[in-house]
Amino acid sequence: MMSQTVARIGQKQIFRRRLLPALPASIDNSFKASAFPQRFSFPSHYQQQRMVQGVAITNNCIVNTNPANGEIISRVPCTTKEELERLLSASCSAQPQWAATSLTDRIRFLRKGLEAIAAKKEAFIDMIVQEMGKPFTEARAEVEGSVSRDEYFRVLQDALEPKKRGKNCQVVRQPLGVVAILSPWNFPVDEILLLALPALASGNTVVVKPSEVTPETGAMVVETLSSVLPEYVVQHAQGDGIVGSHIVAHPLVSMVAMTGSSATGKKILQSCAASLNIKRLVLELGGKDPMIVFDDADLEQAASDAVTYSLSNTGQVCCSIERVYVAQRIYENFCERVVRHAETFKVGDGRDPTVKVGPMVSSIQRDVVKEHVKDAIEKGAKLLYESPPVTGGTFHPVTVLSEVTDQMKVYREETFGPIVSLIPFDGTESSATRLANDSQYGLASSVYTKDLAKAERVANSIHAGQVGINCYSIENMDVGCPWVGHKQSGYGYHSGLEGFQQFSVPKSIVLKPN
């Protein structure tokens, strides 16, 4: 069976045909449609037009548009039920041979896959900027960072190697089977690799469903990897949550790894609980990350970081700084510094190399941010700064709010936009800890003070997976550290020694003692 994507780049039309696997008869015949309950059938309205995350899906095709100008990039066919069943069957059939490949050779394959991505770096950067509006410099940083992983592979191999226990025991790690990866749009290259590389290194085969917001970037990642890996080891399906829900519930899928909203994570948990087989899960979910600025902090550094990591990727990051608590004694001074830094962030089309803040990914997300700002101002927040408006596209101005309170949406809900929210507090450790923990989320956080003993006390009291002391944690973490969400920010975890091991199961081999 054949599907076709029509991509418009400039004035040219590029037709990319993606062939589904032709399975050996023995495999094809062993996998009957009757193995699937009726609940796996696609709903009758699937062919009709609908909107998902601001993306139109018409005649079973994702209408892929540029958020900076509304131009159509491509129309990407959604994977059908029949295609999905054959794709997963092929993935299942390929898994034993891939698992039998040595760990060293699997990692050698993955290194070649990253080299292949690096060779197409400019094409990846261009597609990221087109599909999600990410500024050019940030798109380049994402792609270059994604393929530079020498130390990463060393830690990955160490995490998966057999380990001796005592004199007569050895713990080995075994793959799970087929791993489904549901990847987000905000880091469409890096987030696929964060989950796919450890899953593949562990001996699993992988099926990726990219976000419907960035379908072409996701397809490019998977197709580039698959060009150097054995056949069917890594594949992808396209579509929205309907396709994703069928993948999650499919009996051939042994594990689901997803980065996305907490609401979607809960739906996946429910679906897996009701599925025919017990599945393992890694879910990286939402955040509402706090930053604590004590009165003895380096104010210039803290102000710069508050702005940079509130606005990075147009604020569309699960670990964006969304609550900045500032000691009352330095509050006015700090607010002035924040505004000065915010004024340097130009909003516009990501293709302009001077732009630091691109469009929101969709009009729906832009309207969420607008509503948060409107609600805050109506409830007493002060608008300290708003960047000049940009016409066309789904742009939202850089906005600095002060006097934010816990009664405002911008305080309680994940905003996911280019907003800096400033909140005064009394400067004490107890208040800092209480306020930082005043959220259902617990992804990352940061503490700024020159008193390192105080910083460590507060860091240890904050309920979050990562805490940066005088820095933004994710920018400075060692590759051996896991990325963890506490509370409603995650289920399971990935990355680092501990995270790499989530994609396999340990088995103890015990020899009879002499």
Side-chain angles (χ1 to χ4, degrees):
M1 192 171 294
M2 184 180 292
S3 61
Q4 175 177 290
T5 295
V6 182
R8 296 198 323 174
I9 302 177
Q11 297 301 313
K12 298 180 180 179
Q13 286 195 333
I14 297 176
F15 294 80
R16 184 172 71 244
R17 298 181 182 273
R18 293 198 280 272
L19 292 173
L20 288 168
L23 301 178
S26 60
I27 298 172
D28 198 27
N29 291 335
S30 68
F31 196 71
K32 302 295 186 181
S34 60
F36 298 94
Q38 286 301 309
R39 62 190 175 87
F40 280 85
S41 60
F42 283 68
S44 59
H45 67 269
Y46 197 57
Q47 303 294 326
Q48 300 172 3
Q49 179 169 333
R50 62 194 186 280
M51 295 292 292
V52 183
Q53 295 195 81
V55 176
I57 298 181
T58 306
N59 296 324
N60 203 34
C61 285
I62 299 167
V63 182
N64 189 22
T65 60
N66 185 331
N69 53 32
E71 291 182 357
I72 294 177
I73 301 166
S74 61
R75 298 179 188 273
V76 180
C78 297
T79 303
T80 67
K81 174 177 179 279
E82 292 74 20
E83 290 172 334
L84 182 60
E85 292 177 5
R86 290 178 62 81
L87 183 150
L88 288 167
S89 180
S91 187
C92 186
S93 69
Q95 193 274 325
Q97 185 173 354
W98 177 242
T101 304
S102 71
L103 173 61
T104 298
D105 284 343
R106 292 197 299 263
I107 288 180
R108 187 178 295 118
F109 272 115
L110 297 178
R111 286 183 180 274
K112 290 180 179 178
L114 295 193
E115 290 171 3
I117 291 174
K120 302 176 182 178
K121 177 176 68 174
E122 298 304 324
F124 277 99
I125 293 169
D126 180 66
M127 187 55 71
I128 291 172
V129 174
Q130 285 191 67
E131 284 196 308
M132 65 152 293
K134 181 173 289 190
F136 176 83
T137 53
E138 291 187 351
R140 177 174 292 279
E142 177 183 348
V143 176
E144 291 179 348
S146 295
V147 298
S148 179
R149 292 181 184 263
D150 286 343
E151 179 65 10
Y152 176 99
F153 281 122
R154 187 195 66 76
V155 176
L156 177 57
Q157 180 146 1
D158 181 57
L160 301 179
E161 291 278 13
K163 299 292 190 295
K164 288 206 61 148
R165 295 289 187 270
K167 295 181 179 180
N168 65 318
C169 298
Q170 184 181 51
V171 177
V172 298
R173 304 203 68 84
Q174 291 196 313
L176 299 165
V178 177
V179 175
I181 293 175
L182 310 181
S183 62
W185 48 262
N186 55 347
F187 290 92
V189 172
D190 191 50
E191 285 286 350
I192 290 176
L193 296 176
L194 279 175
L195 301 173
L197 293 178
L200 292 166
S202 297
N204 306 290
T205 48
V206 166
V207 174
V208 177
K209 191 202 82 66
S211 167
E212 55 271 40
V213 177
T214 52
E216 293 288 2
T217 305
M220 288 170 63
V221 173
V222 176
E223 289 171 0
T224 305
L225 287 176
S226 67
S227 70
V228 299
L229 267 62
E231 198 171 26
Y232 311 143
V233 166
V234 59
Q235 303 176 84
H236 73 283
Q238 295 282 16
D240 62 359
I242 295 174
V243 175
S245 67
H246 290 305
I247 294 173
V248 167
H250 202 288
L252 286 184
V253 171
S254 299
M255 178 180 182
V256 178
M258 187 276 288
T259 300
S261 70
S262 297
T264 300
K266 290 176 182 178
K267 291 178 182 177
I268 290 173
L269 281 167
Q270 292 170 350
S271 177
C272 287
S275 67
L276 296 177
N277 60 321
I278 295 174
K279 303 179 194 296
R280 293 176 182 267
L281 293 168
V282 168
L283 306 175
E284 181 194 335
L285 307 177
K288 192 71 181 175
D289 291 2
M291 174 180 180
I292 304 295
V293 184
F294 286 103
D295 58 14
D296 63 344
D298 180 336
L299 298 190
E300 191 60 20
Q301 181 64 56
S304 175
D305 286 359
V307 173
T308 298
Y309 300 116
S310 293
L311 304 183
S312 177
N313 203 22
T314 315
Q316 300 169 128
V317 186
C318 57
C319 54
S320 285
I321 294 174
E322 294 210 0
R323 296 176 290 146
V324 184
Y325 297 102
V326 184
Q328 186 70 62
R329 192 169 71 85
I330 57 167
Y331 186 69
E332 294 301 326
N333 184 342
F334 190 81
C335 288
E336 292 173 2
R337 292 172 186 264
V338 163
V339 170
R340 286 201 299 271
H341 283 286
E343 288 172 340
T344 68
F345 280 71
K346 179 182 176 181
V347 180
D349 191 319
R351 292 173 291 188
D352 179 346
T354 67
V355 162
K356 292 184 178 181
V357 177
M360 304 297 301
V361 74
S362 69
S363 58
I364 291 176
Q365 184 57 35
R366 178 198 59 198
D367 292 346
V368 168
V369 178
K370 288 173 67 176
E371 171 57 29
H372 280 203
V373 173
K374 178 176 177 288
D375 173 78
I377 292 173
E378 288 177 349
K379 292 176 179 176
K382 295 180 180 178
L383 181 62
L384 294 187
Y385 175 71
E386 186 174 77
S387 63
V390 178
T391 58
T394 56
F395 299 100
H396 189 284
V398 168
T399 304
V400 179
L401 298 172
S402 68
E403 311 304 326
V404 171
T405 72
D406 60 7
Q407 300 303 305
M408 301 171 185
K409 292 180 181 180
V410 77
Y411 183 102
R412 288 289 172 200
E413 301 175 13
E414 191 173 24
T415 302
F416 232 59
I419 312 300
V420 185
S421 295
L422 301 170
I423 309 157
F425 81 107
D426 65 14
T428 64
E429 290 182 43
S430 59
S431 291
T433 300
R434 175 180 57 81
L435 291 168
N437 291 330
D438 186 24
S439 173
Q440 64 176 317
Y441 299 107
L443 192 52
S445 59
S446 51
V447 179
Y448 284 73
T449 173
K450 293 175 183 175
D451 185 340
L452 295 185
K454 176 169 67 176
E456 290 183 7
R457 288 193 299 270
V458 174
N460 283 317
S461 299
I462 293 176
H463 304 314
Q466 304 54 234
V467 183
I469 294 178
N470 296 321
C471 69
Y472 185 62
S473 61
I474 194 171
E475 293 283 345
N476 297 276
M477 287 175 67
D478 185 86
V479 70
C481 293
W483 184 254
V484 184
H486 290 195
K487 299 190 283 188
Q488 300 300 303
S489 288
Y491 188 95
Y493 43 89
H494 64 76
S495 298
L497 277 167
E498 296 86 353
F500 294 153
Q501 294 178 340
Q502 298 298 299
F503 297 85
S504 60
V505 289
K507 177 169 70 176
S508 297
I509 298 176
V510 183
L511 297 176
K512 181 181 178 180
N514 293 327

